[in-house]
């Protein structure tokens, strides 16, 4: 075990309350592409062409094609050892909240898998950017349970709201849109209440989510970062564990005495 890992394990063992902020990197080993970096989704698609309300208003068919493709891809993926280690942590004795920027639902699936016949709710994530497998109306914001199957062959066949006939869209947060206020304030509250923040697989570039760990720091807590590369948050972290989260999180979090 490296000295960094030993130090990180001691910090976890001593923590009274933990918040975890995850990003796309935690799902990379499940086969979900990240946004930025090698193989990232933005390499082939410009975000302003796909992940903004303006893009949807201009060309809903292209936006729906991208989301249908991603829904299909995510449906084939399963939680990895990183998601499962976090779910076990949150179901354990130290009060822990998982805050995720991911829309892929893999933390939720890991919570159910790790809980088995017990209550999964302590391991259910606070999803600050929404969920890809739900739709909402772009006009009246009514949510539809489950994802509509979308025929992207023509503009005319795109799904519409049963209440107001507005265009349905994926229930995710695009650039320039406000995050759900109650969800955002819950994320910052649990970060302020925590004495340890574990930041996993995020480039920490997208606001306001990237500031969640700063709330823990400002209330006197400590950061541990897990990422394959350094990020703007690395300088603030007590320990940076460099490597894939699917390997490092079980080593960090799974039972065994802290060294
Ligand atoms: C591994 C790994 C492995 C790989 N193991 N690690 C303040 C300053 C500047 C700008 C702003 C600001 N406040 C707001 C803004 C504007 C904007 C913003 O932040 N822009 C920046 C890019 C400059 N923010 C917004 O627009 C937000 N809205 C807002 O603030 O509204 C204000 C408002 C108020 C009132 C009225 C109206 C408006 C909304 C942001 C929404 C972000 N949406 C997306 C798309 C979601 C839907 C979808 O999925 O399609 O969310 S963008 C995308 O980025 C997605 C992600 O959740 C988010 C973060 O990305 P993440 O998770 O960090 O992924 P990557 O790919 O960037 O990084 C992966 C990391 O993993 C890397 O570090 C790898 O090294 C690592 N990794 N493999 C461990 N195996
Ligand atoms: Zn509607």
């Amino acid at each position: 075990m490296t000295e960094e890992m030993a130090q990180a394990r001691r910090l976890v063992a001593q923590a009274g309350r933990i918040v975890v902020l995850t990003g796309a990197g935690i799902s990379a080993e499940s086969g979900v592409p990240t946004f930025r970096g090698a193989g990232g989704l933005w390499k082939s698609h410009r975000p302003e062409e796909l992940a903004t309300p303006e893009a949807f208003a201009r060309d809903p068919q292209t936006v729906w094609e991208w989301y249908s493709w991603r829904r299909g891809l995510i449906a084939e993926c399963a939680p990895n050892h990183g998601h499962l280690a976090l779910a076990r942590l949150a179901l354990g004795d130290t009060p822990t909240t998982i805050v995720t920027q991911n829309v892929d639902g893999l933390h939720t699936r890991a919570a159910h898998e790790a809980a088995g016949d017990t209550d999964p709710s302590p391991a259910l994530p606070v999803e600050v950017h929404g969920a890809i497998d739900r739709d909402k109306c772009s006009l009246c914001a009514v949510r539809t349970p489950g994802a509509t199957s979308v025929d992207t062959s023509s503009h005319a066949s795109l799904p519409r709201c049963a209440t107001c006939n507005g265009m349905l869209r994926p229930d995710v947060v695009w650039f320039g849109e406000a995050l759900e206020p109650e969800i955002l304030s819950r994320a910052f509250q649990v970060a302020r209440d925590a004495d340890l923040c574990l930041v996993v697989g995020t480039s920490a570039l997208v606001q306001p989510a990237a500031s969640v760990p700063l709330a823990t720091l400002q209330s006197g807590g400590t950061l541990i970062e897990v990422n394959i590369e350094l990020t703007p948050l690395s300088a603030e972290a007590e320990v940076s564990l460099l490597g894939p989260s699917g390997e490092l999180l079980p080593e960090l979090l799974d039972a065994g005495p802290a060294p």
Side-chain angles (χ1 to χ4, degrees):
M1 182 180 300
T2 62
E3 178 45 40
E4 286 80 15
M5 180 58 80
Q7 191 191 351
R9 279 180 61 100
R10 282 193 293 272
L11 290 170
V12 171
Q14 289 159 6
R17 203 170 268 276
I18 301 175
V19 64
V20 183
L21 175 70
T22 68
I26 193 168
S27 297
E29 288 153 88
S30 294
V32 182
T34 60
F35 292 90
R36 300 161 189 85
L41 287 167
W42 295 157
K43 288 273 181 241
S44 41
H45 302 90
R46 282 155 47 85
E48 58 274 23
E49 279 168 14
L50 292 161
T52 66
E54 293 77 17
F56 186 71
R58 192 171 52 239
D59 186 358
Q61 201 169 329
T62 300
V63 174
W64 263 123
E65 275 167 18
W66 191 56
Y67 278 94
S68 294
W69 169 72
R70 285 177 58 209
R71 278 179 177 173
L73 192 151
I74 288 166
E76 299 296 314
C77 295
N80 64 51
H81 294 302
H83 297 104
L84 290 166
L86 288 177
R88 286 192 295 271
L89 171 72
L91 294 169
D93 293 336
T94 308
T96 298
T97 306
I98 300 168
V99 175
T100 189
Q101 300 167 83
N102 299 346
V103 300
D104 58 29
L106 293 180
H107 283 299
T108 301
R109 288 172 57 189
H112 287 276
E113 205 174 302
D117 292 335
T118 66
D119 176 17
S121 49
L124 295 177
V126 178
E127 294 175 314
V128 295
H129 289 161
I132 200 168
D133 66 353
R134 289 194 307 256
D135 296 336
K136 73 174 178 189
C137 176
S138 58
L139 287 185
C140 74
V142 156
R143 292 194 162 84
T144 57
T148 325
S149 128
V150 180
D151 169 6
T152 54
S153 60
S154 81
H155 193 142
S157 58
L158 294 177
R160 298 227 165 226
C161 173
T163 309
C164 79
N165 202 38
M167 288 256 201
L168 290 184
R169 53 163 282 183
D171 188 9
V172 298
V173 181
W174 285 327
F175 282 115
E177 293 186 317
L179 283 68
E180 199 78 49
E182 298 78 37
I183 294 179
L184 188 61
S185 63
R186 171 139 192 256
F188 276 92
Q189 189 59 54
V190 293
R192 277 191 294 274
D193 291 347
D195 49 18
L196 177 66
C197 179
L198 190 52
V199 188
V200 184
T202 177
S203 57
L205 293 171
V206 175
Q207 297 294 347
S211 297
V212 165
L214 303 183
T216 305
L217 277 182
Q218 278 155 11
S219 56
T222 305
L223 302 191
I224 297 174
E225 182 172 58
V226 178
N227 201 305
I228 53 170
E229 59 189 31
L230 297 176
T231 76
L233 279 178
S234 305
E236 313 293 334
E238 190 78 17
V239 188
S240 284
L241 298 174
L242 282 174
S245 50
E247 292 171 22
L248 292 179
L249 288 176
E251 193 181 347
L252 174 64
L253 301 174
D254 280 344

